Amino acid sequence: MKVRTTALCLALAGLPLFLGCDAQLSIPAGGSAAIVGSVSLGQSAGKDATAAQLVCPNVVVRLNNNLVNVNLDDDCTFLIDDVQPAASVVLFVDLPALGVSGTIELDNVVAAELIEVLVEADNDGLAISVLRRAIPDPTDVLPVRVSGNNVTILIPAGTYNQTLTVEGNNFTLVGVAGSSCTASGWSVITGGVFINGNNATFRNIRFDGAVEVVGNNAHFINSCLGSNLVIFGNNADFDDDDDGGDDDDDGGKDNDDFGDDDDGGDSDD
């Protein structure tokens, strides 16, 4: 089967997965990388697949030959958290309904890195495309406003009594997670967070203030919105009523394709 590797920006959308306030996190804060994947089927895949499989096919994923339990959301996206830093990480993806599979090797995976993977498949084969963002820069100062594109920040545990406005595209903020949303040890932003840029990602952050999402494809990984833990969710219009954005279950399905000129996809030129 064919497997090709390219660098591109992914249009990942999906429903947020929420857990209760006492749910336990599964990863060490900032000590591992994360892989966000999306599965897309070509038109010819319909020859041998059922309608349900076309919407979201069964996917078997192995990391360094170890089976990974992945749950696909309604948009066929999945999260692999707790990817340990290594000189080489081998990702294997199998779509049994189509009889196609592929393997890709990720070199020099580091702590706090975000790796985005697009799996495209049809009856003729499978292609894997990868986008690797810049490694977050550690700092104990969180800016109030981020205007540039491709800004990546790693902050320690602590309380940041401020607001945060993200204007640029492809922003990544990684913090430190406590054992639950009510526990200590988090990187906490107490003021409002306003996300106007596209493709922003927040991991291991507790939001004590309102979160407003205007841009497309905002990802929240192992983060707390009030007392609700979001294992993996994106583009919900979160408010400050502590419901974690449950009212916005459409997951932002009007997301623009990252191929647009104003979408922050300049990293794949």
Side-chain angles (χ1 to χ4, degrees), residues 21-89:
C21 60
D22 291 326
Q24 299 296 306
L25 300 183
S26 60
I27 66 170
S32 61
I35 297 175
V36 175
S38 179
V39 180
S40 174
L41 299 184
Q43 292 183 347
S44 65
K47 296 178 181 178
D48 300 318
T50 67
Q53 289 169 333
L54 276 174
V55 173
C56 207
N58 179 41
V59 178
V60 177
V61 177
R62 293 182 181 273
L63 207 61
N64 292 333
N65 207 33
N66 296 315
L67 185 65
V68 178
N69 182 25
V70 296
N71 296 310
L72 296 179
D73 65 15
D74 288 348
D75 289 302
C76 301
T77 65
F78 61 88
L79 169 70
I80 306 176
D81 224 336
D82 197 17
V83 179
Q84 295 304 308
S88 175
V89 171

Side-chain angles (χ1 to χ4, degrees), residues 16-240:
L17 172 61
F18 292 95
L19 296 181
C21 60
D22 291 326
Q24 299 296 306
L25 300 183
S26 60
I27 66 170
S32 61
I35 297 175
V36 175
S38 179
V39 180
S40 174
L41 299 184
Q43 292 183 347
S44 65
K47 296 178 181 178
D48 300 318
T50 67
Q53 289 169 333
L54 276 174
V55 173
C56 207
N58 179 41
V59 178
V60 177
V61 177
R62 293 182 181 273
L63 207 61
N64 292 333
N65 207 33
N66 296 315
L67 185 65
V68 178
N69 182 25
V70 296
N71 296 310
L72 296 179
D73 65 15
D74 288 348
D75 289 302
C76 301
T77 65
F78 61 88
L79 169 70
I80 306 176
D81 224 336
D82 197 17
V83 179
Q84 295 304 308
S88 175
V89 171
V90 178
L91 178 67
F92 169 80
V93 180
D94 179 28
L95 297 159
L98 299 182
V100 296
S101 63
T103 301
I104 187 169
E105 183 175 3
L106 305 170
D107 295 328
N108 300 319
V109 175
V110 300
E113 183 179 8
L114 177 69
I115 302 170
E116 295 175 80
V117 174
L118 174 63
V119 178
E120 298 176 288
D122 54 32
N123 294 110
D124 299 321
L126 178 147
I128 302 176
S129 303
V130 179
L131 168 66
R132 299 181 70 170
R133 300 197 189 185
I135 300 169
D137 296 322
T139 178
D140 57 0
V141 178
L142 180 63
V144 173
R145 181 176 299 272
V146 177
S147 300
N149 295 328
N150 304 308
V151 175
T152 59
I153 299 174
L154 174 63
I155 57 175
T159 301
Y160 298 81
N161 293 310
Q162 62 173 84
T163 61
L164 171 63
T165 300
V166 179
E167 302 288 353
N169 299 312
N170 301 325
F171 173 71
T172 304
L173 178 63
V174 180
V176 175
S179 60
S180 73
C181 288
T182 56
S184 60
W186 282 89
S187 300
V188 181
I189 303 176
T190 62
V193 175
F194 310 97
I195 307 167
N196 300 320
N198 298 319
N199 206 24
T201 298
F202 298 86
R203 185 173 176 222
N204 301 340
I205 303 295
R206 195 179 86 194
F207 300 90
D208 281 359
V211 178
E212 294 185 7
V213 181
V214 177
N216 297 309
N217 298 319
H219 297 262
F220 298 86
I221 300 173
N222 272 2
S223 293
C224 289
L225 300 165
S227 60
N228 293 294
L229 172 65
V230 182
I231 295 296
F232 177 51
N234 45 344
N235 243 38
D237 186 11
F238 302 112
D239 55 32
D240 58 358

Side-chain angles (χ1 to χ4, degrees), residues 236-259:
D237 186 11
F238 302 112
D239 55 32
D240 58 358
D241 61 2
D242 239 19
D243 65 0
D246 296 88
D247 294 336
D248 190 3
D249 278 344
D250 64 2
K253 294 186 185 303
D254 58 346
N255 295 342
D256 293 335
D257 189 320
F258 282 2

